[in-house]
Amino acid sequence: MSKPSKEQMLFMYRKMVEIRQFEEAAGTLYQSGQLPGFLHLYIGEEATAVGVCAHLKDDDYITSTHRGHGHLIAKGGKRDRMMAELFARTTGYCKGKGGSMHIADKETGILGANGVVGAGIPLAAGAALSAKIRGTNQIAVSFFGDGATNQGVFHETLNLAAVWELPVVFVCENNRFGMGTPQHEHQRVEDISVRAPAYDIPGVTVDGNDVLKVYAEAHEAVVRAREGGGPTLLNCDTYRFRGHHIGDPGTSYRDREEVQEQERQRDPIRRLAQVLTEDEGVTQEDLETLEAELANELEEALEFAKNSPEPLPEDALEDVYADEIQP
Amino acid sequence: MRSITYRDALKEALIEEMERDEAVFLMGEDIAEYGGAYKVTDGLFKQFGKDRIRNTPISEAAIIGTALGAAVTGMRPVAELMYIDFTAVGMDQIVNQVAKIRYMVGGQLDVPLVIRTQGGAGRSSAAQHAQSLEAWFVHIPGLLVVMPSTPYDAKGLLKTAIRSDNPIMFIEHKLLYTEEGEIPDDEYTIPLGEAEVKREGEDITILATSRMVLKALAAADELADEGISAEIVDPRTLMPLDKDTIYNSVKKTNRLLIAHEAVGRAGFGAEIAALVVREAFDYLDAPIERVAAAPVPVPFAPVMENFVIPDTPQIVEAARKLVRYEI
């Protein structure tokens, strides 16, 4: 089992807090009517993105989902430019053309959040194919949810990636609900990693709310991909603390007590804080100082976003094609 | 100049571009040893190896999604979908991913991806192997659509398509593969968005696409015997569209007949008619007429298929009526 150093643990703590703060701020802004569009929060699932991305290099690739903010921050996306995109400003990663569900950053290998469930899975395989042909030693990671594992493209891509032995890690975040449908109503399997043997690739399930366990299993999968061992299906059992999106209280299809129990018992940030303070000699004060520092940074990101210019209406006509072809 | 088939013209384009640029590779169902369903890639795996001529599983969505992932990370894939009818299986990837990604991410990503496919009727292939679906793709902002009718156009346009940083639907016709035509000995390319007047005339413009260009040229021969001089315009690329060549021809002949093999209803011809009515209304001496397939699935029985798909006598008859039309 690969165990992170204290510095790596603190780095992962920082990243999870960055995500939690970003999501809480975005939720508040959305509810006060300051953000257009949809908003799907990652609160409660931070350990999966952070535990996996901790192993990735800047030029490795990820593809993400409609619930993508956590993956992007974990991979190196900047909160100021992400927030600017949520505010639909020109300084946002997509210049206001994508919004929450489509943030991408070429520089950090983020090939995009995605509005279609499962659709990013073959993109990651393609990036892995590209890396393999170019011989660059890069790998690709695709994040997707339990709902996506019922899409045809999930099965098509796992099969193709297995046949071609692509350097890709398929990370399923089983947060127990496909929108509002509980897992037992949308698939017979409970442990999604059992789908891996169908494609003759390794499959493993881990507690997705324990960042140290995610880190350890992701290490195996990432090393396997990088060393030419082909794809892995890494299934992370997690839980969505909030509704499907802002506007869904998330209580019509599950008990409020169940959510509260998950929050009490399985908060990934609190669990890592416990390890850091009990085993690693970090004080509660140290963590609070770090959180305050990150909160200030988020305030600056918010100011940056709010003070950035809005696009011009006719900017809508640009970026459809390369080579000056007019839409 | 030398005479060559449409099939070999396409093959030459693929070979030349793969020799010219290491980033170019092919992927699709049975394109290696089998040589492709219509033998366009026959033998290429011997020259380039199976890393660059990649057989895929029968998984259209994964083929397109994986090609897209490779395209946005430094490769220039040519993905083959065996029949245009099968694009429907991979439609999310084409419409929601390939066409949209550049725009959604604010222009950060180029998409140098060619999707080669073929359509058209005339071989008793019936309803799922003989459609003409080009209008679907013309309708989607972000895609370009190429439909060559001759070996010369096929080679020159495929080379240009492979060098483009835009995603391109490159639509061949299954009954054109054995057609022969002249091409230069030296290398050449044809720009996207340049129509060609395949035959000059004075009395009526016949705008035709793909295999209907050949039928229109045959019709022009018959019409000439009757003293009617028809001008045949082949747009060659439906998007981008060379509108000026079409307008100029109509302004000269004052009559427009549109001939395509797709169903007429909401077909590409409807778009042409609307454009010409707006831009050349005062020049028209007769209504714009369309010759197109009957609005039924393509039938199997040759006698029924021939009835449904427009042919040369229909073009001749429609042209005659327009020339005789009196206001």
Side-chain angles (χ1 to χ4, degrees), chain A residues 194-211:
Chain A
V194 303
R195 292 190 164 173
Y199 308 103
D200 195 23
I201 63 173
V204 62
T205 288
V206 64
D207 179 349
N209 281 28
D210 182 335
V211 75

Side-chain angles (χ1 to χ4, degrees), chain B residues 29 38 60 80-91 94 115-121 126-138 145-147 169-174 177 210 238 261-262 298:
Chain B
E29 296 159 9
Y38 287 87
E60 283 79 6
E80 178 173 324
L81 290 182
M82 198 182 288
Y83 285 78
I84 198 169
D85 314 70
F86 306 164
T87 60
V89 187
M91 208 59 167
I94 299 173
I115 299 175
R116 272 190 57 239
T117 188
Q118 58 79 28
Q128 298 170 340
H129 290 76
Q131 296 173 84
S132 294
L133 300 173
E134 60 274 12
W136 287 4
F137 305 104
V138 179
V145 180
V146 178
M147 277 187 101
M169 296 298 297
F170 193 92
I171 305 172
E172 300 154 17
H173 192 295
K174 59 175 67 66
Y177 287 124
S210 191
L238 309 194
E261 206 178 295
V298 180

